[in-house]
Structures are given as structure tokens and as C-alpha cells.
């Protein structure tokens, strides 16, 4: 939900290097498997490293920095997200050293010149650039903000076109208010500490995150007040929200129309069925039909929602309030919920922040399926929801993959899809994903594998079992339309082999996220097989218990498409998955580029009803 790259104004961009050392041809990197892997012995905790002296930090990251330079020089990487990770890590080391300010400015310019998204191309490295220029002009003491930073940053900010960067800067306005050292350290610890504390080693990806996090400490935390002041003024001076294109496109099917009930499965973390009266698939006993449900070990379960610990249950109401507070901060709304979250973040100790983030992750997973179901069901009295639950492992140290675990996972996919077919499910929403690097991370957190290369090999083995099982299951159900997410990693899903979004199947529709104005979000992943884009920015829906929460992500965009597909089938149930996909894509329109095809529910339903006059719609 919370995207730090936007919050701190240090967006990452692409770097391409044209010539390898000594005139040697570069090694091609066309998938994540082609990327070299490294492992580093690291002393101390995440907090200790992030607040260490420039000399101590430089010594810690020296081998990492050398490998980054070597990879950038010797490899031709065909993935922008990977290049951004490398360059952001390098920038963190350059800023921390205090001796490479000119080189750091050059890195920022390289990042900026290769960014594809219009807003990121303008705001990439804006705060670090202003910081470096001010430090070169003023000189400064480590841990203090240069005197001329605020004026320099404000000047750069005020020169930016609001129409392009307004959404990003509005998020920054609120998030800068909570970006203290505890908050930033807590974010880094959530990702890095479980591995570092256990094994005192870090693989490449975690090492890059550690280096990039230092920029947050050296620039964002140090100049937090100045960033917030300048950003607040910029936003308040313009204060014009982007137009919302979605209300005019929306379609609500009236309850008295002649519609065909459409069974739709929400394959997710489970949902609160009490919130959807009249929109559930009922059995012969007039009770809601439960689809397959599995626990964290892929064993059959009977619980409709992913279980919460006693501590998480007690904290759930506070997390719901915090979720709305974070959402309001991201949209620049000075609400009571936003104020409460600012106060909460300001008073937490590092340990409390770490615990809060773990609880937030668990509760967000608990809320996820219900939030998705609410989006999918909106405005459709003919939908008949089915709960098919999986369990996301949100523990700091998840269960390590094993052959038995992965075989049960693949079997669960097979049996769940077989159940869908047996119960005539027409549409399945899949707002989830996985990739090989997640397995590497799980192995590393559990201390499995002597080297990064060994973990890579093991990860590929375990991932292949899941990938092949899921692909076979989806391919074997040509009569079911599966709608899935592009992902929230601002990366190419084919390069990272993200599943299921990297699959190419005639009954699978992959969805990216745009904002309320129809412009591509900063977080949405990319890929040649993304069929359409839908609203995935601050989408309001219900969560267990009935509260309404706004969330962002391709997880919210996919059920917008599921919603449309179910409405199309309610009007014309004879359509095949391929025909529904054709209608949705054919009636979509181009956004900021021809490849950004935004759904248009009104146009899609009108197209269907030209050939079927059984239903009237209200708009």
C-alpha cells in the first residue's frame, strides 16, 4: 500500500551503458536467471548500519559497490527495474561518502534521462539533487540539512508542471510528515533485518536495498522539515486534483433487469460473506457455497478468512484506522485519521515501529480478499460470489520451501481450478503473484543455501513446481476467464517471470493500474501481455467488519475488470472467455500512450447490448 519511492521523491530510473570495459561484448541479461548473484558478510544491525559514520558505511558497502560497478559495466541488462535498483544503490553509497557529490549528480541525471513514466522522469532524484548541490555550495556537518537546501529544492519543485507531477507530489506532502528516522529505519528493517539478524549475510537484492535506504536517512530524514515545507507550499498553491474519469464510465445494472446470475470466484485471502447479501452463490440448502480453502501449508481448511493471531485481532481496529490515515496522507487530505497516524508514527520507538509494520502486513492480508470482493461485486445484482481462500505467509521468517510443500501447492492449484469448472464458475479474480526471487528471499531468511548461487538454483527448482502446476491448471480450464494483476513492482513481469501475469493464455487477462485520471501509476508493473489498465489508485471498498478503506495497487485494478466481465456475462451468458476479453480490450481506449489501454465499462456494455436487449442499464 505505501510506496516509499514516491514518498521520498527518490524515484529510480533506467541506466544503459553503451561500452563494456576493454571493448569486450557485454553479457546479455534477458531474465532474472541471467543476473549474477553475490553474497556479503555484514556486521551489525540494520539500524546501526543506517546511522553509521560515512567512513564506516563506506567500508560496509565497499564490496557491494564494486560488484554494482562491475555488473553495470559488464552486463547488458534488459530490465528497467533491475537497473533502477542498481543505480539507486550506487547513489546511496555516493551520497553517504560525502566525497562523490559530482558523481552522484551524474548518477541522478542518468537515472532521470532513462525514466519512462512522465512524472518519475521529472521528480527522480529531485531532493537528493537539491541536497547535493546545497552541500557543495554550503558545506555541511553530517546529519544536518544544508542551509540552501530548502530554497534550492523549492525552486526545482516550483518549476515542475502540476498536471504531470501533482499526484506524486500530493502523496509526498503527507508522507514527508511521517518520514522520521524511526519510520525509515522500520521500513528497512522489515525487509532486511530477518535475514541479517539470522545469518549476518546479505544477498545482492537485500544489499541494494540497504544501500538505497541510506539515501532516505542522509537526505529525506535529515531534510524532512524542509522537504515537507516546500512540498506543502507547492501542493497548496496548485491544489487542483486530477479529474476522475471513472464515474462517467461506470455502469450499474438495475436489479429488475433480465440478467443471468454469474458465478465469480474471488481466489484470495478470503472474504467476509456477511457484507454481500444477495450476491453470494447459494447451495441447495440456501447457504453460501464455499470454494476450496487452504491454510498456510496448502492443506484443506474450512475458515472463510485468513486467521489472525490474538494480538492482530486486538490491533485490527487500529490498523483499519491507520490504513485510512495512510491513504489520506497519500492523497494530501488532512483528516483526523491522517493526524492520528502522524502522531502514532512520531511517538513510536524503533521496536514499536517494527512490530506495527508486521501487524499492518498481517492485517492488510486479512483485509485484502474482502476489499477485492467489494470492488468486483459493485453495481451488479447478478454476481454470485464464491470464496476460494489461499493463505499468504506474512511472517518475518516464512516457512522454507520444500518439495512436499511445493507439490501440495501445485495440487491445490489443480484441485481448486477443477472445482471452479465443476461448479460452472465463469470468472476468477486472482489479485496475487509470485516470482523466483521471492523463493531466494525465503531461503535466505531461513539460512538455507551456502551461497547466493546455490539459493538461486534451489529457488528455481521450487518455483518451477509452482509455476508449472499453476500454468497447467489455468490452461486446463479454457471455459473459465481468469483475471490477474500485472504486479506492483514497476518492473517487467516477463523478465522477473512473475506468475501468473507472465503467462500467455487465451483465457487469462492481465491488468495494470492507472489513477483516477487514467494515467499509469508509479507502481504498476509492465509487460507485453498486459491486456488493459483499470483504476488502481485509492479505490474504496469494504474490509472484514464492514469498514470502508481506500487501497492502491493492481490488486484493486484487477477486480475492476472482473466486475466488468461479470456484468458482460450477466447480459450475455453465451460469451466465451476469449469473446469477453475481446470486448473488454476492443472497447478500451488509449491513455498516455497507445499501449496503455484503459477499460471503458459503458462502451463495453453498450457493445454487448447492441446484440442483446434483455437488460437496461443505469449510468
Amino acid at each position: 500500500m505505501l510506496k516509499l519511492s514516491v514518498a521520498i521523491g527518490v524515484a529510480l530510473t533506467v541506466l544503459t551503458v553503451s561500452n563494456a570495459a576493454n571493448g569486450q561484448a557485454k553479457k546479455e541479461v534477458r531474465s532474472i536467471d541471467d543476473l549474477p548473484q553475490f553474497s556479503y558478510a555484514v556486521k551489525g544491525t540494520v539500524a546501526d548500519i543506517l546511522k553509521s559514520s560515512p567512513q564506516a558505511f563506506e567500508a560496509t558497502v565497499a564490496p557491494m559497490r564494486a560488484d554494482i560497478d562491475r555488473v553495470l559495466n559488464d552486463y547488458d541488462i534488459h530490465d528497467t527495474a533491475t537497473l533502477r535498483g542498481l543505480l539507486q544503490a550506487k547513489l546511496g553509497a555516493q551520497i553517504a561518502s560525502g566525497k562523490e557529490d559530482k558523481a552522484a549528480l551524474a548518477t541522478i541525471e542518468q537515472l532521470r534521462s532513462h525514466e519512462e513514466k512522465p512524472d518519475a522522469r521529472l521528480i527522480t532524484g529531485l531532493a537528493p539533487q537539491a541536497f547535493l548541490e546545497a552541500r557543495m555550495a554550503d558545506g555541511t556537518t553530517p546529519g544536518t540539512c544544508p542551509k540552501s537546501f530548502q530554497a534550492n529544492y523549492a525552486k526545482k519543485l516550483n518549476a515542475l508542471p502540476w498536471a504531470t507531477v501533482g499526484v506524486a507530489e500530493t502523496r509526498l506532502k503527507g508522507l514527508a510528515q511521517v518520514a522520521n528516522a524511526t519510520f525509515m529505519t522500520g521500513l528497512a528493517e522489515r525487509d532486511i533485518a530477518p535475514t541479517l539478524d539470522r545469518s549476518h549475510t546479505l544477498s545482492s537484492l537485500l544489499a541494494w536495498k540497504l544501500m538505497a535506504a541510506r539515501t532516505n536517512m542522509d537526505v529525506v530524514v535529515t531534510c524532512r522539515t524542509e522537504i515537507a515545507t516546500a512540498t506543502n507550499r507547492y501542493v497548496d498553491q496548485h491544489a487542483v486534483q486530477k479529474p476522475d474519469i471513472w464515474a462517467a464510465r461506470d455502469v450499474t445494472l438495475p436489479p429488475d433487469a433480465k440478467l443471468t446470475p454469474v458465478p465469480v470466484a474471488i481466489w484470495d485471502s478470503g472474504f467476509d460473506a456477511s457484507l454481500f447479501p444477495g450476491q453470494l452463490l447459494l447451495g441447495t440448502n440456501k447457504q453460501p457455497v464455499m470454494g476450496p480453502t487452504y491454510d498456510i501449508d496448502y492443506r484443506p481448511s474450512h475458515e472463510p478468512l485468513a486467521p489472525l493471531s490474538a494480538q492482530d485481532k486486538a490491533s485490527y481496529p487500529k490498523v483499519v484506522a491507520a490504513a485510512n490515515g495512510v491513504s489520506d496522507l497519500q492523497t494530501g487530505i488532512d483528516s483526523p485519521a491522517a493526524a492520528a497516524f502522524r502522531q502514532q508514527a512520531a511517538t513510536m520507538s524503533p521496536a514499536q515501529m517494527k512490530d506495527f509494520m508486521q501487524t499492518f502486513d498481517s492485517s492488510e492480508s486479512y483485509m485484502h480478499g474482502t476489499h477485492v470482493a467489494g470492488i468486483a461485486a459493485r453495481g451488479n445484482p447478478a454476481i454470485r460470489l464464491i470464496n476460494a481462500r489461499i493463505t499468504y505467509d506474512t511472517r518475518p521468517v516464512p516457512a522454507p520451501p520444500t518439495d512436499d510443500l511445493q507439490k501440495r501447492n501445485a495440487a491445490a492449484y489443480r484441485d481448486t481450478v477443477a472445482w471452479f469448472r465443476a461448479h460452472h464458475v465463469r470468472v476468477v479474480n486472482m489479485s496475487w503473484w509470485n516470482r523466483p526471487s521471492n523463493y531466494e528471499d525465503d531461503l535466505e531468511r531461513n539460512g538455507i543455501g551456502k551461497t547466493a548461487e546455490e539459493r538461486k538454483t534451489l529457488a528455481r527448482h521450487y518455483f518451477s513446481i509452482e509455476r508449472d502446476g499453476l500454468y497447467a491448471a489455468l490452461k486446463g480450464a479454457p471455459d473459465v476467464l481468469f483475471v490477474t494483476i500485472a504486479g506492483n513492482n514497476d518492473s517487467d513481469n516477463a523478465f522477473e517471470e512473475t506468475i501468473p501475469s507472465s503467462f500467455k493464455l487465451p483465457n487469462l487477462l492481465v491488468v495494470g493500474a492507472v489513477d483516477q485520471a487514467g494515467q499509469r501509476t508509479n507502481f504498476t508493473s509492465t509487460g507485453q501481455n498486459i491486456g488493459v489498465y483499470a483504476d488502481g489508485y485509492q479505490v474504496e471498498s469494504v474490509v472484514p467488519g464492514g469498514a470502508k478503506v481506500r487501497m492502491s495497487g493492481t490488486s484493486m485494478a484487477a477486480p475492476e475488470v472482473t466486475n466488468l466481465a461479470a456484468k458482460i456475462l450477466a447480459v450475455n451468458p453465451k460469451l466465451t472467455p476469449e469473446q469477453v476479453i475481446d470486448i473488454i480490450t476492443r472497447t478500451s481506449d488509449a491513455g498516455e500512450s497507445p499501449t496503455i489501454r484503459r477499460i471503458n465499462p459503458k462502451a463495453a456494455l453498450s457493445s454487448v447490448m447492441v446484440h442483446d436487449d434483455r437488460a437496461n442499464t443505469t449510468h
Side-chain angles (χ1 to χ4, degrees):
M1 291 173 64
L2 192 61
K3 306 297 176 185
L4 281 187
S5 59
V6 174
I8 65 175
V10 187
L12 304 178
T13 51
V14 180
L15 173 67
T16 56
V17 184
S18 58
N19 296 303
N22 302 320
Q24 305 250 339
K26 286 191 171 189
K27 299 175 183 177
E28 295 281 331
V29 178
R30 295 188 176 275
S31 76
I32 195 69
D33 281 350
D34 298 329
L35 197 68
Q37 299 290 318
F38 307 100
S39 186
Y40 308 98
V42 179
K43 296 180 180 179
T45 66
V46 172
D48 290 339
I49 295 167
L50 291 181
K51 67 182 181 181
S52 63
S53 68
Q55 296 80 8
F57 185 76
E58 186 174 22
T60 297
V61 303
M64 307 170 192
R65 172 74 182 278
D67 286 333
I68 287 174
D69 290 339
R70 192 157 41 246
V71 170
L72 289 171
N73 192 64
D74 296 346
Y75 289 81
D76 185 10
I77 301 172
H78 294 258
D79 179 63
T80 60
T82 300
L83 286 164
R84 290 196 299 266
L86 283 159
L87 266 292
Q88 187 63 26
K90 180 176 179 177
L91 180 63
Q94 289 173 324
I95 293 174
S97 75
K99 300 178 293 186
E100 301 180 73
D101 288 358
K102 288 185 178 180
L105 288 172
T107 298
I108 291 171
E109 288 303 318
Q110 290 175 315
L111 288 166
R112 188 174 293 152
S113 67
H114 292 281
E115 179 57 65
E116 297 174 346
K117 297 177 181 177
D119 59 345
R121 188 161 51 241
L122 293 172
I123 66 173
T124 290
L126 201 68
Q129 181 185 16
F131 177 88
L132 291 163
E133 290 173 350
R135 183 162 74 177
M136 291 170 66
D138 304 343
T140 188
T141 303
T144 63
C145 191
K147 292 180 180 179
S148 61
F149 169 80
Q150 184 173 323
N152 191 19
Y153 179 66
K155 181 179 179 181
K156 295 180 184 299
L157 190 59
N158 292 333
L160 300 180
W162 174 260
T164 304
V165 303
V167 170
E169 292 301 329
T170 299
R171 293 173 185 165
L172 180 56
K173 171 188 173 181
L175 292 170
Q177 300 174 29
V178 297
N180 57 31
T182 297
F183 186 78
M184 290 300 190
T185 302
L187 286 171
E189 286 184 327
R190 179 183 61 180
D191 293 334
I192 303 169
T195 298
L196 185 59
D197 293 348
R198 180 187 182 99
S199 64
H200 306 293
T201 62
L202 292 178
S203 64
S204 308
L205 294 177
L206 290 182
W208 299 353
K209 287 184 178 181
L210 180 66
M211 295 169 71
R214 181 65 184 232
T215 300
N216 300 345
M217 305 300 290
D218 287 344
V219 177
V220 181
V221 173
T222 301
C223 296
R224 172 189 166 201
T225 301
E226 290 80 1
I227 291 172
T229 299
T231 307
N232 287 348
R233 288 175 181 169
Y234 176 74
V235 173
D236 293 344
Q237 283 172 0
H238 295 84
V240 177
Q241 291 293 325
K242 285 185 177 181
D244 189 331
I245 70 169
W246 298 108
R249 297 167 178 242
D250 198 16
V251 174
T252 296
L253 299 178
D256 58 349
K258 295 179 180 179
L259 303 171
T260 299
V262 180
V264 175
I266 307 300
W267 199 1
D268 211 295
S269 62
F271 64 76
D272 185 346
S274 69
L275 302 177
F276 305 102
Q279 292 182 299
L280 302 170
L281 182 68
L282 302 180
T284 54
N285 59 358
K286 303 301 180 182
Q287 295 299 310
V289 174
M290 274 286 293
T293 63
Y294 291 90
D295 65 16
I296 205 166
D297 296 317
Y298 308 109
R299 299 186 187 280
S301 171
H302 301 287
E303 297 295 328
L305 285 162
L308 286 178
S309 67
Q311 179 180 347
D312 288 344
K313 284 182 181 179
S315 302
Y316 179 68
K318 295 180 181 179
V319 172
V320 171
N324 274 323
V326 170
S327 176
D328 288 345
L329 284 171
Q330 288 181 314
T331 51
I333 300 173
D334 293 323
S335 66
F341 182 73
R342 283 197 302 267
Q343 177 64 23
Q344 182 181 9
T347 57
M348 283 185 184
S349 68
Q352 289 172 327
M353 178 63 71
K354 185 177 179 181
D355 289 343
F356 168 78
M357 288 180 176
Q358 176 58 39
T359 299
F360 194 92
D361 285 347
S362 299
S363 297
E364 198 274 336
S365 171
Y366 175 77
M367 295 187 284
H368 194 269
T370 303
H371 197 275
V372 166
I375 298 170
R378 189 177 57 228
N380 188 0
I383 197 170
R384 296 296 180 262
L385 293 171
I386 300 165
N387 188 352
R389 183 173 75 78
I390 55 180
T391 304
Y392 307 136
D393 195 340
T394 61
R395 293 172 294 188
V397 180
T402 64
D403 278 341
D404 286 345
L405 197 66
Q406 292 308 100
K407 289 176 181 177
R408 287 200 301 271
N409 187 8
Y413 288 148
R414 179 198 64 213
D415 294 345
T416 297
V417 174
W419 189 97
F420 291 156
R421 299 193 75 191
H423 290 78
H424 309 291
V425 173
R426 300 301 311 276
V427 187
V428 177
N429 192 91
M430 305 166 66
S431 285
W432 45 269
W433 58 278
N434 208 349
R435 58 186 177 181
S437 60
N438 288 352
Y439 282 94
E440 291 182 50
D441 185 55
D442 290 349
L443 291 167
E444 186 174 9
R445 290 183 182 223
N446 282 276
I448 297 174
K450 296 179 181 179
T451 65
E453 286 295 338
E454 182 178 340
R455 285 192 294 272
K456 181 178 179 178
T457 300
L458 282 171
R460 168 56 60 181
H461 168 71
Y462 293 129
F463 172 77
S464 296
I465 297 173
E466 179 187 7
R467 179 202 60 203
D468 295 348
L470 180 58
Y471 183 85
L474 302 187
K475 184 179 179 180
D479 49 337
V480 180
L481 171 57
F482 295 92
V483 180
T484 193
I485 61 173
N488 302 328
N489 302 307
D490 190 19
S491 59
D492 184 276
N493 54 32
F495 180 90
E496 294 196 330
E497 202 172 344
T498 303
I499 59 172
S501 66
S502 63
F503 293 163
K504 293 183 179 180
L505 292 167
N507 59 332
L508 177 69
L509 184 53
V510 182
V511 184
V514 291
D515 63 18
Q516 77 272 22
Q519 295 182 331
R520 186 170 51 174
T521 63
N522 72 297
F523 54 78
T524 188
S525 289
T526 57
Q528 292 183 351
N529 63 330
I530 295 180
V532 288
Y533 287 73
D535 185 13
Y537 175 65
Q538 301 300 315
V539 181
E540 185 174 80
S541 186
V542 291
V543 296
K548 292 184 177 181
V549 171
R550 291 172 297 281
M551 293 185 184
S552 295
T554 52
S555 283
M556 285 64 250
E560 300 276 9
V561 176
T562 294
N563 178 292
L564 175 54
K567 288 173 179 174
I568 290 172
L569 289 169
V571 173
N572 186 350
K574 296 180 180 180
L575 295 170
T576 65
E578 292 94 331
Q579 290 171 324
V580 174
I581 291 174
D582 177 68
I583 291 168
I584 292 173
T585 55
R586 178 165 39 85
T587 58
S588 64
D589 54 64
E592 62 210 60
S593 72
T595 60
I596 308 298
R597 304 295 304 182
R598 306 172 301 187
I599 63 168
N600 191 327
K602 182 179 288 186
L605 267 297
S606 295
S607 173
V608 175
M609 289 163 50
V610 165
H611 306 289
D612 194 318
D613 60 0
R614 295 177 305 147
N616 295 311
T617 60
T618 58
H619 305 297

